[in-house]
Amino acid sequence: MSDDTQQTNFKLIADDEWRQRLSPEEYYVLRQAGTEPPGTGEYEHTTTEGVYSCRACGAEIFRSTEKFASNCGWPSFHSPAGNDAVIERRDTSHGMVRVEVLCANCESHLGHVFEGEGYPTPTDLRYCINSLSMKLEPAQAEN
């Protein structure tokens, strides 16, 4: 986590500052709970080892070791980077009942989590996450 991430209380940032920090597409997903179109995200098929951080604040949210190919149109993970990396809350928007996933550090929208879909993962969960909500920091190669 960068020094900026540790020193800034991202939960207090005003909406106009978020608009300055983020591109219009990032703002739509992260601050307005939007969804990027399926199959368009840069990380959907990525197999690069590394850490996925929140694009809004830089906090670590997922790791490549928990990523799996669900072929659902968005990057999928079976668990977050740690017990306190994300917040899950009930989402009843669009006439559905789902569980929204937010960054615990800045409360930006990341995507949704689904349970019981039968994927062969250790948790039986699929964190369906927008690529626009993350940045991948590739693992450093060992010498």
Side-chain angles (χ1 to χ4, degrees):
M1 202 179 292
S2 71
D3 289 340
D4 183 47
T5 301
Q6 293 174 357
Q7 295 174 4
T8 302
N9 186 343
F10 287 93
K11 295 174 186 171
L12 299 179
I13 292 179
D15 189 61
D16 60 335
E17 186 175 339
W18 281 121
R19 288 182 185 276
Q20 292 174 6
R21 287 176 173 250
L22 304 168
S23 73
E25 296 81 11
E26 292 167 348
Y27 181 84
Y28 169 69
V29 170
L30 290 157
R31 304 309 304 171
Q32 295 182 310
T35 301
E36 64 194 6
T40 63
E42 69 178 305
Y43 300 128
E44 180 186 0
H45 299 292
T46 299
T47 58
T48 304
E49 291 185 21
V51 171
Y52 291 87
S53 298
C54 175
R55 196 174 294 252
C57 73
E60 182 178 327
I61 50 176
F62 293 97
R63 296 184 186 125
S64 62
T65 52
E66 281 72 40
K67 190 172 188 286
F68 69 99
S70 67
N71 300 312
C72 70
W74 295 271
S76 296
F77 301 85
H78 61 76
S79 58
N83 291 337
D84 58 351
V86 300
I87 298 168
E88 297 177 10
R89 73 175 176 203
R90 182 179 166 97
D91 175 6
T92 58
S93 64
H94 307 291
M96 298 178 273
V97 177
R98 302 178 288 176
V99 178
E100 181 182 17
V101 179
L102 300 106
C103 172
N105 191 54
C106 69
E107 297 183 356
S108 288
H109 173 79
L110 304 174
H112 291 87
V113 61
F114 302 94
E115 183 176 14
E117 296 178 318
Y119 290 102
T121 64
T123 62
D124 199 26
L125 298 173
R126 177 174 58 91
Y127 286 83
C128 183
I129 306 299
N130 292 285
S131 289
L132 279 170
S133 67
M134 304 181 288
K135 285 186 182 180
L136 171 60
E137 180 66 37
Q140 300 296 319
E142 294 183 30
N143 293 334

